Amino acid sequence: MRPFTYERATDARTAVGAVSRPGAKFISGGTNLLDLMKLDIERPGHLVDISRLPLRDIEELPDGGLRIGAQAANSDVAADARVRTRYPVLSQALLSGASGQLRNKASTGGNLLQRTRCPYFYDTAAGCNKRNPGSGCSAIGGFNRIHAILGVSDSCIATHPSDMAVAMTALEAEIELLGAEGSLRRVAITDFYRLPGDTPHIETVLRPREMITGVDLPPPPPGRQLYRKVRDRASYEFALVSVAAIVSTDQGTINQARVAFGGVAHKPWRSIEAEAALTGRPATMATYRAAAVEAMRDAVGQGHNNFKIELAKRTLCRTLAQLARES
Amino acid sequence: MSDSGTGATGSSLGEMAQLSAITLNVNDQARRLEVDPRTSLLDALREHLHLIGTKKGCDHGQCGACTVLINGRRVNSCLTLAVMHEGDDVVTIEGLGDPDGLHPMQRAFVERDGFQCGYCTPGQICSAVGMLAEVEAGWPSHATADVASPRVALTDEEIRERMSGNICRCAAYPNIVAAVRSVAGGDPG
Amino acid sequence: MIGQALNRVDGPLKVAGLAPYAYEHWEAGQPLYGFIVGATIGKGRITRIDTEDAEHAPGVRMVMTHHNAPAQGIRDESIPFEYWRAQPVLTSPDIHHYGEPVALVVAETFEQARGAANLVDVEYARGPGRFDFAAFEDEAYVPKVVNAGLPTDTAVGDFDTGFNTAAVKVDERYTTPYEFSMPMEPNACLVVPRGEDLTVYVSSQIVDAAHASIANTLRIDPARIHIIAPYVGGGFGSKLGIHAETILAALAARALSQPVKVALTRQQIFQMVGMRTTSSQRVRLGAGRDGRLAAIAHDVTMHTNPDMEYAEQTAATTRSLYAAPHRLTSHRLTPLDLPRGEDVRAPGEAPGMLAVESAMDQLADELGMDPVELRIRNEPTVDPERGVPYSDRHLVDCMREGARRFGWERRPATPASVREGQWLVGYGMAAAIRGHFQAPTTVRVRVAADGTAVVQTDMTDIGTGTYTILTQVAAEGLGLPPDRVRIELGRSELPVSWGSGGSWGAANSSTAVHRACASLREKLLDAAGSDTRSPLRGLDLADAVFSDGNVRVDGASEALSEIVERHYPDGVEAEGETRFMGDDPNYTDYSIHTYGAHFAEVGVDADTAEIRLRRMLGVFSVGRVLNPKTARSQLIGGMIWGASAALEEEAVVDPRSGAFVTRDLAHYLVPVHADIPDVDAVVLDGYDDKANILGAKGVGELGICGAGAAVANAVFNATGVRVRDFPITLEKVLPGLPPMGI
């Protein structure tokens, strides 16, 4: 870990001012940033601690939605009664991630910004365009069992590791950002993340010195919600594939559907194709299969991760069938 | 809120990194420390306060051996900086009990043989104590069938899921679950 | 006392966080911190190493590289055991494997050392490396012997004819991955120099090996080295020998005349500590329709480091497991530029039985026979290769008792026939066998005038329960309550043992303590019997009973402490020994093993192929159990290791670089709580009078033997999919599942 200086921010506006120093970074829960700093992957020269900013609350919005402060711990969000009853997919996604200890520390904003768990990103001796632009992608042609099948580029096949962000994608969350000049802007979560292209080191549309202050959940869409995570271990492991689904049916016909995948792409993967294939169709396995085929139409395996294409299809069908059964 | 950790000027490699003065309330005692800002809470406990009960197993939040309670909540002390905890209450395994007055969870681990080499054990015990408080507060888990339900029944499956952030390579898992179960009450594990 | 479920005597200290492990001793004051820099190529040499920036970083006291490292001893192959040999580091610019240490940075704080390690600038010339086992498997050679001095190849009868004429044949290839021990305490060492002497706090399974290895490496008088290892945070083989952390801490401490401590990071363990070799195994079984084996062959190819041969005895237990007139076993090694193979819990049996017991399950399936019945039909009467009797074989008892307790009769007769909700459910079983070994051990037992006893040996407790069982053996041997017995372990000044490893520690040290106590009893009775002040004088002391701190004969009784105080005011002591097995004819005249049977139930998700263990039972025969509580814990731990080998553990090498890609606990998966449901171990009453005077044998590794195969066989029973490429991860099962449909 390289030397750095440290300061604790007392309010959001001074925080974005303080981070204007060269090499400065925000630190919140620290569960990913310190992990990376210890391995010399992140090298901030100055840390602005925003963990004590008054952004921990979860509040009702006038439109019936919910606002989650960026500093709200993952465990507090997962345990919030309003989240559990109105946005169970988010609670389920959070609870399927990490461990109790990590959820107590990890913040909502930090979770959104966590970096990939690609082992080559974690190995400073390996080529990695995300860590060291221009150095190549060792995962292509390497051990790529956990890597992406959708939206990849020749520069990067990494996945985004968050479960929470997958559920938020299905919920069409909006992220509130405080800019360096003190201005606020809001970005839909699907627009927040970028695909790798030839700049995989740029992962979001976050501008320099911008800080996430909160996440707004619109009123819950009609229908039932479910998050299903598939992994080797029964707990405490990142997803091989996950699905967040929200489906509303009327007399056996799906009238609205939201589908997002985790573990398959550089960002939480909203599948408009699957949603279109579901909407207006009968809630049957034939429909689910058709949606799964549509969702994975452009999927490409890299060798070790070829299985993810079939696994993602099966996981989607299974999740949809379970939702139908429980409704 | 104290600002004792602020104000360092930019440190380059040629100059001494400035030390930060902090006060942690560790096991009900105010402990004043001067640390390199890079010091994890784990290393502050082990290398500065010589509280060796908190263990370094992986230093990356992947094993749980470093679990302590901060302001009553269980966290991995390896993935947080000591300077971020000015004024915080930290309870380590040494604060739960000692051999002459063991905490019920410590006693249960001895009674049920919930460990072998003992290295992950303080983290398991701190985690179990923090976990039971979470259950008491009605928090759901990945093993909870209906997260919307306000009450949680602490089945063995729930204990296992909630303790999964603590790896035991000796694999004393069945005995750890029995120990936690014996403290939590309910059906025997 | 022996055989009682005494709680661990070191338990209160451990659960209170007060038991100091190697990195945690503060009695010598503030040490310096060392951080190792590892090579970032797999083969080649250092062309330039620039340490200037690191040396000038704040707090840095020294940067050691091959340019300035002191000369060290060389690996002397005339020393019969690797772990006692020198382990020199930083000796040349040559790089033999990825992650090999190239520098040590020593600084005043850990943060400074780790930070400055990033500033060591190394340039390399890459050489052509061999990293891909599959690509070079065909270039394997024949080692002279395999681990534990066992023969490389064996042949009995006429295998080809026996196999070719068999009515039913199984001929399959199995592969097992690199696996790491990964104890929770990383390899660590603190060295305190005092004049010419070095006090070495080290995480070590064998104090004598660490002692010799450090002396041989540093080329200093062993009497100057003092090893202290009272608590060891798990070993599983990875701490039988010392590694770079220990030698580098010692070199730096001597050079700086200050205490220095070094721990490997979790990532470095995957590069600087050896691993279980990867294997490719061909198993051939030829049987009659009645299930009786005519021919059994087990041919194994594994990797080895080219300079430091390690030949895991993967086919060795196949020699003693089942009867068959025609037999072959062989071991071959393919040199790769990877770290040396080392012992990982149950070396040999763990990967070997995974293959053989999977093949037996396949044979049972092809015969339409119950897998328990198939094994019973092949139960030998004598060791089929050595021709000597078994000392105390109860394999069939274990299988029958296990089948009864597990409810084996409810096993789905047809694979892939039982579904409970989302789960395809299957049962599997496998046999367990492990050789029991005996190694030289000396202990000293001393009784003080106050009637308390202390047991002293350099034996270690790596979580096995040594403190506890030796308390029990000494308490019984001297008739003292356990709280009047103290155990001192893990110091090189104490009588020498072969430490914890090979499942021999408990039997070796207990037997020696038992003998020392017998000598002490004799001394005390001699003293009392001829003492006019003793109420025991003149009585027939052959019937003397030592209990509750007293010595009783007929109606007379005298306190042990009184006898000691009168005759040995400074205390009395005796030594006890256990011999090397080669000097004990029982180990030549008998085939001495431990046995067991594993039963597992798994659920496989019908859609996603996620595999979850649902319950597991092991029934074991291990001779006499010294402490059922600690023995059960050892056995359960082993069983879970077996399940882990079947389903999770795999260290992957990138064949382009020679680096382990899965090199932390997020990517190298070991079980967590949620993976492990109801797992239980039952031990049959027993006493192996050929093993030793206590009738006790080892339990530390038996639990893993065959356990993985039981889980793998349950996966087959659940799904009809037989995976032979371990671990069985979901993508290997998925293609065999029925098409999606609910």
Side-chain angles (χ1 to χ4, degrees), chain A residues 1-10 21 27-32 34-39 45-47 49-53 56 73 75-76 78-79 81 83-85 88-89 91-92 95-96 98-105 122 229 231 233-236, chain B residues 1-13 17 20 22 37-38 40 59-64 67 70 73-76 78-81 83-88 123 127 134 138-142 145 147-152 161-162 164-167:
Chain A
M1 196 183 288
R2 311 268 168 159
F4 58 83
T5 47
Y6 169 85
E7 74 175 282
R8 188 179 304 125
T10 48
R21 285 170 58 165
I27 185 166
S28 175
T31 55
N32 189 205
L34 291 170
D35 168 36
L36 295 168
M37 286 167 64
K38 288 178 184 192
L39 295 168
H46 184 64
L47 283 183
D49 179 358
I50 55 173
S51 64
R52 299 198 188 194
L53 295 183
R56 304 187 74 87
S75 51
D76 284 322
V83 175
R84 287 158 69 179
T85 51
V89 69
S91 186
Q92 292 162 2
L95 294 169
S96 74
S99 67
Q101 292 95 310
L102 289 164
R103 292 193 294 269
N104 278 339
K105 203 80 183 71
Y122 268 77
K229 179 173 181 177
R231 50 187 160 182
R233 276 201 308 220
S235 187
Y236 200 17
Chain B
M1 188 182 293
S2 163
D3 270 339
S4 58
T6 67
T9 50
S11 81
S12 65
L13 296 173
S20 300
I22 53 165
R38 291 175 288 182
S40 66
D59 216 16
H60 287 270
Q62 298 164 355
C63 80
T67 303
I70 301 179
R73 288 192 174 190
R74 53 178 175 157
V75 301
N76 300 113
C78 72
L79 285 187
T80 190
L81 297 171
V83 290
M84 296 174 77
H85 293 283
E86 172 67 31
D88 280 348
S127 184
E134 293 167 5
W139 288 12
S141 86
H142 177 60
V147 294
S149 165
R151 293 303 306 164
V152 176
E161 163 57 28
R162 290 165 188 266
S164 282
N166 292 86
I167 290 178

Side-chain angles (χ1 to χ4, degrees), chain B residues 90-109:
Chain B
V90 180
V91 174
T92 70
I93 190 72
E94 293 92 341
L96 287 181
D98 61 38
D100 296 325
L102 294 176
H103 183 282
M105 191 66 77
Q106 291 171 318
R107 207 176 311 125
F109 269 63

Side-chain angles (χ1 to χ4, degrees), chain B residues 46-47 111 113 117 169 173, chain C residues 8 21 33 629 633 671:
Chain B
R46 285 168 63 82
E47 305 302 328
E111 204 54 51
D113 212 32
C117 81
R169 186 57 161 161
Y173 294 129
Chain C
R8 282 173 203 267
Y21 296 78
Y33 294 80
K629 191 174 260 190
S633 291

Side-chain angles (χ1 to χ4, degrees), chain A residues 86-296:
Chain A
R86 283 150 55 187
Y87 306 95
V89 69
L90 177 57
S91 186
Q92 292 162 2
L94 282 161
L95 294 169
S96 74
S99 67
Q101 292 95 310
L102 289 164
R103 292 193 294 269
N104 278 339
K105 203 80 183 71
S107 68
T108 303
N111 188 322
L112 288 170
L113 292 176
Q114 64 180 305
R115 312 294 304 275
T116 183
R117 258 60 185 189
C118 171
Y120 297 100
F121 175 72
Y122 268 77
D123 177 1
T124 50
C128 172
N129 291 319
K130 183 182 284 297
R131 176 172 32 75
N132 185 12
S135 63
C137 174
S138 298
I140 298 173
F143 180 62
N144 49 41
R145 180 171 184 262
I146 66 171
H147 289 74
I149 51 174
L150 286 165
V152 301
S153 73
D154 293 341
S155 297
C156 182
I157 59 170
T159 58
H160 193 269
S162 174
D163 294 296
M164 179 194 79
V166 178
M168 285 182 172
T169 298
L171 291 166
E172 296 187 340
E174 279 193 347
I175 299 169
E176 185 188 75
L177 306 170
L178 176 65
E181 282 70 47
S183 57
L184 286 171
R185 66 176 180 129
R186 309 161 79 78
V187 179
I189 190 167
T190 42
D191 299 329
F192 181 70
Y193 292 107
R194 300 174 78 254
L195 285 176
D198 52 12
T199 55
H201 59 292
I202 305 171
E203 295 170 346
T204 67
V205 299
L206 204 64
R207 294 171 188 151
R209 306 196 296 286
E210 257 182 334
M211 181 172 80
I212 299 175
T213 48
V215 176
D216 288 357
L217 303 178
R224 299 183 52 82
Q225 309 174 7
L226 188 62
Y227 189 74
R228 176 73 164 92
K229 179 173 181 177
V230 180
R231 50 187 160 182
D232 298 298
R233 276 201 308 220
S235 187
Y236 200 17
E237 191 190 358
F238 296 99
L240 289 169
V241 164
S242 69
V243 169
I246 305 171
V247 177
S248 162
T249 52
D250 183 23
Q251 298 186 337
T253 298
I254 298 168
N255 52 27
Q256 194 178 325
R258 303 261 188 90
V259 172
F261 289 94
V264 299
H266 196 253
K267 63 181 206 174
W269 189 266
R270 175 90 181 259
S271 182
I272 304 296
E273 298 81 1
E275 292 172 7
L278 292 167
T279 307
R281 302 279 176 166
T284 62
M285 186 51 73
T287 300
Y288 307 152
R289 278 202 207 97
V293 168
E294 288 308 314
M296 292 295 134

